[in-house]
Amino acid sequence: MKMIASLLFAYLFLISTARSQEMDTQSLEKRYHEWVKAWNESDAQTVADISWGNYGFGRDVPILRTGTNDREAYEAGIRRYMESMQVLRYEVHYTNFRIVDGVGLVDGYYAQTTQQKSSPLRTVYGRQSLVFTMKDGNWKMIHYHRSLLPNEFTR
């Protein structure tokens, strides 16, 4: 009887852990899509909020080479980049979400269409990887990397 109770307890523990992990993955996916939406809507404040903080990569590795550890200057650098584009569209083609030891991992493929005010429309295709950590109940991005796919996949 003790053996059955122990097995039942272990089974229920594993199920609850899996469900907890799934819930965390859903919140990670939601946060990632907030970040993508913010880029598509030229919402520099939200992009900066997701990627800035004690654990946010904005403090140590500023995006878009803003070259600052100052939060307002960081957001302003993102805003300048967005304003330099006549078209800025970030389209997700495939993403994979997982959580390992409390660290959120996102990887996948994307297409980014941009047009600077005096340049032709351009779409590039690439692969991305993002790393998030939980800070004050919200996922914060701590690393972002993207690589373009070979030229035969771009137009």
Side-chain angles (χ1 to χ4, degrees), residues 25-42:
T25 302
Q26 290 172 354
S27 67
L28 175 63
E29 184 172 351
K30 180 181 178 201
R31 189 66 160 172
Y32 168 76
H33 287 294
E34 288 172 4
W35 181 77
V36 170
K37 180 181 178 191
W39 275 107
N40 285 330
E41 294 177 354
S42 295

Side-chain angles (χ1 to χ4, degrees), residues 14-74:
L14 288 174
I15 288 176
S16 67
T17 302
R19 286 187 180 151
S20 172
Q21 185 83 344
E22 181 180 316
M23 183 179 296
D24 288 343
T25 302
Q26 290 172 354
S27 67
L28 175 63
E29 184 172 351
K30 180 181 178 201
R31 189 66 160 172
Y32 168 76
H33 287 294
E34 288 172 4
W35 181 77
V36 170
K37 180 181 178 191
W39 275 107
N40 285 330
E41 294 177 354
S42 295
D43 179 355
Q45 181 178 354
T46 298
V47 170
D49 286 345
I50 291 172
S51 58
W52 181 269
N54 291 331
Y55 299 138
F57 74 87
R59 183 151 330 259
D60 300 313
V61 186
I63 191 171
L64 305 172
R65 295 179 178 87
T66 57
T68 182
N69 286 330
D70 176 85
R71 170 62 175 77
E72 289 179 18
Y74 174 70

